[in-house]
Amino acid sequence: MDKTRISDRQTIFLLVNLVGATALIALPVVASGYAGRDAWMTAVLGTVNGFLVAFLVGALGREFPGQTIVQYAVSILGKIPGKAVGLLYLFFFIQPPAIVVREFGELLAVSMLPTTPQILFAMLIVSVSAYALYYGLEVLARVNELLFPLIIVLFLFILFSVAEHMEPANLLPVMEHGIKPVLLASLGPASWRGEIILLAMFLPMLARPERGARDAVISTLAIGMVLFVAMLVITMVFGASTARLSFSVYELARLSTFVATRLDAIWMIIWIVGIFAKIGLWYYCAVLGTAQWLNLKDYRILIAPIGVIIVAVSMSQYNTSTDMINFIAGPWISFAYLFEWFIPLILLICSRFKSSVPAAGG
């Protein structure tokens, strides 16, 4: 359906942005709520799940070249069970963009436009993403490739510019309450790293699909390093107050100044671009997967109806930002693990078992 091809660099940037665009917002408040001043450790521990998902996606991609997870689920399990698994993934692909759309609206409401209805924010970002999707994955990849380095440079600049507010003493004592709170706090961030499962949907669109697993591992390492540094700085700046700040990165940007100019507005603009790319990638996978599940020749006719569904879910599922954070830190974790590694692991085992049966019989 989509004949475009994206490079290794574009793939890595897409995957890093896929996780980082929202993890930078949610990680401080979610991890600090469990681990307190030790929340920075979760950025390291959460990386393990990303490596596992990268292995599963790469292994399945090598066995079923040119197919997405919606397609090879049928090849492995048969038509009816495979279609059922594919349908479950279609529901899964709707949930994260709905959460991100709501995060987008909540942050804009808190920072700039408190009286604007949330649905207007949702319709705006989904409409822009829909326009990009109409022209294929390559448009998203090119926009992200152009602007993603600016996001990283600006973010690192913000971190360094708040050096005067850092108090290393806020990191001590290390593991005051033992390792258990740190492990519990790592469950959520680990589930976010597993979002690179989306590679199982656009692996066939890579210029070199055989390097998809490698790109996913590089992305996971890069995400881990960025989040590790970010959590160290945020904890040193805000200390125990981090758990009470819904958008601590934005508060960090407000502290940062350059030639007497606050950087929060610039950061907000760049972050919106990152959110656009993340929503667009989930949206693309939902549309493409639905078209494949329905055996359609063109996915574009599904862009509008699925966009409406994303907006509806984002508006109806959460009453407040607190409800959204509670969902991300609670029910979302087991929901995500099911689709990120449990089902792919079952598919890989079944595939290997099927391939070994003729040999054993012979």
Side-chain angles (χ1 to χ4, degrees), residues 49-89:
N49 191 48
F51 293 148
L52 175 59
V53 175
F55 165 76
L56 293 172
V57 171
L60 287 166
R62 286 190 296 271
E63 293 204 16
F64 301 93
Q67 295 187 41
T68 69
I69 193 169
V70 172
Q71 294 172 317
Y72 57 66
V74 176
S75 302
I76 295 170
L77 302 176
K79 185 174 182 180
I80 295 179
K83 284 286 188 180
V85 169
L87 183 61
L88 290 175
Y89 268 100

Side-chain angles (χ1 to χ4, degrees), residues 6-21 23 43 46-51 53-54 144 148 152 189 192-199 202 206 211-228 281:
I6 60 176
S7 67
D8 288 340
R9 182 171 62 183
Q10 290 172 332
T11 302
I12 292 170
F13 284 178
L14 278 174
L15 292 177
V16 174
N17 183 78
L18 175 68
V19 179
T47 305
V48 176
N49 191 48
F51 293 148
V53 175
N144 191 66
F148 181 75
I152 295 297
W192 307 336
R193 308 298 172 80
E195 289 181 358
I196 62 173
I197 188 63
L198 282 194
L199 184 60
F202 67 90
L206 271 59
R211 300 180 67 169
R214 188 211 67 154
D215 294 343
V217 169
I218 293 174
S219 303
T220 300
L221 288 172
I223 294 164
M225 288 188 291
V226 170
L227 294 180
F228 173 73
L281 191 57

